């Protein structure tokens, strides 16, 4: 049976939380109010519905970011004048459509996150999804290179809001002990979205133009917007109160964080919950302070480490492999675009590896953290999650080596497919562990922590994808991906010192003069 409060506040101790009582009972963190409009008080099925819709939105971002790459030759011929087009020149130019989308996705979050923090999730979700829909239609209609490039750049900007909103919404509606599974679902959607998009795009291009990929994506985005408008209430909630306070929060008339309506705890009507905005402000920080804070957060060792882990896993698993996927499959195995698209089943369902990333990153990670929490007399430290990343330490480098060896030595095509599956699994599992670790460690600024990782990951990922072809051409598939495997293993293995000394690093680094400007208000 769970208790409705605790003696140690999540936001006052840099992630150190009392999650269990001395008798072993679970303590709910953060402390829910008695307000029926509090997202923490929503029913569990509805919470997971909100998470599923959010994951669907993330899947669509990945779908249109990577899906059309399977038709890169068709697109190059379309923009280059037909069958006589010089593909050696045009393919690198057309690939720029997709690398720039990845580049603008991350830095765009630097602008979205302050707005999400200040004005709530719902208005930004609706606005950004509408912009995403417009750019999807625009990309399908464009006939000039410059127009298509601008559309793809703006697509990255608008879809970047989804990357911010997913973790924010999950932490809004789930308690601390529930978040790992929900975040694992979110990253499963992000990783499988690339595979799903490539498979679907390959099927579409069998009998249709590449532009049909965008019409399909636009219809799916339109459905998402309908779901958001009519079924997803605002999940942000003014929860800036002391967990030690007795009695319902709303009964204190002097509390500045009571609901802006000033009404007692009554449930809002359906039509009020689907209004564009609640009219509330969810933080007292300025937009400028929230915009600049990520540039200080990246200097904190736990955030820097988690960002590097995400960068190498995304870079090797998505940007690196996707950049050379079609050409290598076409050259080595003489696959058509449709067959190359089916090759991404390795990233989606190959031996169910990526499906296993959800429990391996969520319930398994939570079980590991609970084990160390019990050993620590019920006190949860964010570092308690880190040992679970040992799985990815093995699977990520192994998958990269299998993929490179399979292509270079022309092994049976199932060898690189298994490698792709292992890398996809590692991306979902490893990122989930490192990401939830930072959310636990820096709860009061979790939004800025999210965009710090997104912004810097996209920049590093852009660099990796831009150099992939020349790297492989110079060193060969096995050497290039073997080097990437070594780099990946190195950063994942840094979880060992982070486990033993991460808590000290967190407390020590906040005193650095270079990061003084990121300090947040303690409540």
């Amino acid at each position: 049976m769970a208790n409705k409060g605790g003696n140690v506040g999540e936001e006052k101790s840099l992630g150190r939380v009392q999650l269990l009582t001395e008798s072993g009972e679970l303590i709910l963190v953060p402390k829910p109010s008695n307000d029926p409009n509090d997202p923490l008080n929503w029913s569990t099925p509805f919470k997971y519905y909100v998470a599923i819709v959010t994951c669907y939105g993330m899947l669509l971002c990945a779908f249109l970011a990577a899906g059309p790459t399977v038709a890169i030759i068709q697109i190059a011929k379309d923009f280059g004048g037909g069958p006589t087009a010089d593909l050696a020149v045009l393919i690198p130019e057309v690939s720029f459509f997709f690398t720039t989308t990845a580049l603008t996705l991350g830095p765009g979050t630097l602008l979205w996150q302050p707005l999400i923090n200040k004005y709530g999730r719902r208005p930004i979700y609706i606005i950004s999804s509408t912009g995403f829909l417009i750019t999807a239609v625009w990309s399908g209609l464009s006939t000039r290179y410059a127009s298509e490039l601008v559309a793809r750049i703006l697509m990255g900007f608008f879809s970047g809001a989804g990357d911010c909103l997913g973790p924010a919404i999950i932490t809004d509606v789930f308690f601390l002990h529930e978040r790992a599974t929900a975040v694992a679902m979110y990253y499963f959607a992000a990783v499988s979205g690339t595979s799903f998009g490539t498979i679907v795009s390959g099927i579409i291009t069998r009998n249709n133009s590449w532009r049909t990929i965008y019409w399909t994506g636009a219809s799916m985005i339109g459905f998402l917007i309908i779901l958001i408008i009519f079924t997803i209430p605002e999940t942000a909630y003014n929860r800036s109160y002391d967990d030690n306070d007795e009695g319902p929060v709303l009964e204190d008339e002097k509390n500045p964080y009571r609901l802006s309506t000033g009404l007692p705890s009554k449930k809002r009507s359906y039509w009020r919950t689907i209004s564009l905005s609640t009219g509330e402000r969810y933080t007292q920080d300025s937009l400028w302070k929230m915009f600049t804070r990520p540039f200080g957060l990246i200097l904190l060792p736990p955030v820097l480490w988690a960002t590097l882990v995400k960068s190498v896993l995304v870079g090797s698993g998505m940007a690196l492999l996707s950049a050379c996927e079609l050409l290598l499959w076409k050259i080595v195995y003489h696959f058509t675009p449709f067959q190359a698209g089916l090759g991404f089943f390795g990233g989606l369902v190959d031996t169910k590896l990526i499906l296993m990333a959800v429990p391996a990153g969520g319930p398994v990670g939570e079980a590991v953290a609970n084990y160390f929490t019990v050993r620590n007399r019920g006190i949860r430290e964010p570092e308690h999650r880190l040992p679970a990343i040992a799985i990815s330490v093995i699977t990520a480098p192994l998958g990269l080596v299998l993929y490179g060896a399979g292509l270079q030595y022309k092994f049976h095509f199932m060898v690189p497919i298994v490698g792709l599956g292992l890398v996809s699994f590692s991306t979902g599992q490893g990122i989930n562990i490192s990401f939830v670790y930072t959310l636990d460690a820096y709860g009061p600024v979790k939004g800025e922590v999210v965009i710090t990782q997104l912004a810097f990951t996209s920049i590093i990922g852009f660099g990796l994808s831009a150099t992939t072809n020349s790297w492989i051409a110079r060193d060969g598939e096995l050497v290039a991906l073997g080097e990437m495997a070594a780099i990946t293993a190195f950063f994942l293995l840094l979880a060992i010192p982070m486990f033993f000394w991460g808590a000290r690093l967190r407390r020590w680094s906040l005193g650095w003069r270079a990061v003084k400007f990121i300090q947040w208000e303690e409540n």
Side-chain angles (χ1 to χ4, degrees), residues 394-414:
I394 298 171
T395 56
L398 176 61
L400 287 165
V401 171
L402 284 176
Y403 191 91
L407 291 176
Q408 180 157 325
Y409 296 113
K410 299 183 180 180
F411 293 147
H412 190 278
F413 65 83
M414 281 304 298

Side-chain angles (χ1 to χ4, degrees), residues 191-443:
V191 175
S192 63
T194 301
S195 302
F196 169 79
T198 310
I199 293 167
V200 171
S201 298
I203 294 172
I204 288 172
T205 54
R206 287 189 77 183
N207 300 307
N208 300 279
S209 164
W210 61 269
R211 299 181 187 275
T212 308
I213 299 171
Y214 288 105
W215 309 143
T216 303
S219 64
M220 296 171 74
I221 297 168
F223 180 60
L224 171 67
I225 294 173
I226 292 172
L227 292 179
I228 296 170
I229 291 175
F230 293 105
T231 68
I232 306 296
E234 177 59 64
T235 63
Y237 188 83
N238 279 320
R239 196 178 305 287
S240 298
Y241 54 82
D242 193 336
D243 275 355
N244 294 317
D245 288 345
E246 298 293 334
V249 175
L250 296 182
E251 290 179 2
D252 180 4
E253 295 182 357
K254 296 181 180 179
N255 191 320
Y257 296 101
R258 296 170 77 244
L259 295 181
S260 59
T261 60
L263 294 174
S265 183
K266 293 177 183 180
K267 189 169 179 63
R268 297 191 186 110
S269 69
Y270 167 73
W271 293 109
R272 191 172 169 208
T273 63
I274 65 169
S275 60
L276 179 62
S277 173
T278 63
E280 293 190 62
R281 299 295 178 265
Y282 296 97
T283 179
Q284 298 182 58
D285 285 342
S286 68
L287 293 174
W288 174 249
K289 185 173 184 179
M290 289 186 285
F291 172 77
T292 57
R293 187 174 277 151
F295 297 97
L297 286 171
I298 192 62
L299 301 177
L300 301 179
V303 178
L304 177 61
W305 172 74
T307 303
L308 291 172
V309 167
K310 183 176 181 180
S311 297
V312 296
L313 287 174
V314 170
S316 60
M318 296 292 104
L320 183 64
L321 299 183
S322 297
C324 59
E325 178 73 17
L326 177 61
L327 293 179
L328 288 179
W329 283 93
K330 185 177 179 63
I331 293 170
V332 177
Y333 298 108
H334 307 292
F335 279 7
T336 65
F338 169 66
Q339 291 172 318
L342 291 181
F344 268 84
F345 269 112
L348 186 62
V349 297
D350 177 52
T351 62
K352 301 182 180 178
L353 285 172
I354 195 169
L355 294 176
M356 292 168 59
V358 176
V364 172
E366 196 65 47
V368 170
N370 287 339
Y371 169 77
F372 287 102
T373 300
V374 172
R375 290 188 58 182
N376 200 36
R377 299 182 181 180
I379 303 298
R380 167 71 64 86
E381 292 278 8
E383 285 76 18
H384 290 166
R385 298 185 185 276
L386 296 181
I389 209 170
I391 301 171
S392 290
V393 172
I394 298 171
T395 56
L398 176 61
L400 287 165
V401 171
L402 284 176
Y403 191 91
L407 291 176
Q408 180 157 325
Y409 296 113
K410 299 183 180 180
F411 293 147
H412 190 278
F413 65 83
M414 281 304 298
V415 173
I417 285 180
V418 169
L420 181 58
L422 286 169
V423 172
S424 299
F425 164 84
S426 306
T427 303
Q429 197 266 348
I431 291 177
N432 176 64
I433 297 296
S434 61
F435 181 73
V436 178
Y437 164 55
T438 58
L439 292 186
D440 290 351
Y442 302 101

Side-chain angles (χ1 to χ4, degrees), residues 457-472:
T457 296
S458 69
I459 294 171
I460 297 171
F462 175 78
L464 284 172
S465 61
T467 59
T468 295
N469 290 332
S470 59
W471 191 359
I472 291 177

Side-chain angles (χ1 to χ4, degrees), residues 13-235:
S13 52
L14 270 184
R16 173 174 288 179
V17 171
Q18 184 170 352
L19 198 60
L20 300 172
T21 66
E22 292 182 2
S23 62
E25 291 181 298
L26 183 66
I27 296 173
L28 297 182
V29 178
K31 176 184 177 181
S33 70
N34 69 331
D35 182 7
N37 303 299
D38 184 344
L40 292 176
N41 292 329
W42 292 348
S43 69
T44 299
F46 186 67
K47 288 183 180 183
Y48 277 98
Y49 168 77
V50 172
I52 289 169
V53 172
T54 304
C55 291
Y56 172 64
M58 190 62 234
L59 183 143
L60 294 183
C61 295
F63 171 25
L64 285 185
T69 59
V70 78
I72 193 169
I73 293 177
Q74 295 179 22
I75 296 172
K77 289 180 178 179
D78 235 16
F79 283 97
T84 60
D86 186 352
L87 295 180
V89 175
L90 287 171
I91 286 180
E93 292 180 353
V94 170
S95 67
F96 204 58
F97 291 157
F98 310 107
T99 54
T100 53
T101 300
L103 178 63
T104 56
L105 185 149
T109 61
L110 294 171
L111 300 177
W112 287 118
Q113 190 65 51
L115 298 174
I116 291 169
N117 287 348
K118 193 79 169 180
Y119 302 108
R121 322 316 186 202
R122 182 175 165 81
I124 304 305
Y125 212 164
I126 294 172
I127 292 169
S128 62
S129 297
T130 302
F132 190 22
L133 173 62
I134 292 170
T135 56
V137 174
W138 182 356
S139 298
L141 291 174
S142 293
T143 57
R144 294 184 298 110
Y145 181 89
S147 176
E148 182 75 9
L149 181 61
V150 172
R152 291 287 306 189
I153 290 173
L154 291 176
M155 178 181 290
F157 172 74
F158 283 109
S159 63
D163 270 323
C164 303
L165 285 159
I169 289 173
I170 286 170
T171 54
D172 286 342
V173 303
F174 290 98
F175 293 105
L176 176 63
H177 69 281
E178 301 171 323
R179 290 176 190 167
T181 298
V183 172
M185 291 169 53
Y186 168 76
Y187 273 111
F188 169 74
V191 175
S192 63
T194 301
S195 302
F196 169 79
T198 310
I199 293 167
V200 171
S201 298
I203 294 172
I204 288 172
T205 54
R206 287 189 77 183
N207 300 307
N208 300 279
S209 164
W210 61 269
R211 299 181 187 275
T212 308
I213 299 171
Y214 288 105
W215 309 143
T216 303
S219 64
M220 296 171 74
I221 297 168
F223 180 60
L224 171 67
I225 294 173
I226 292 172
L227 292 179
I228 296 170
I229 291 175
F230 293 105
T231 68
I232 306 296
E234 177 59 64
T235 63

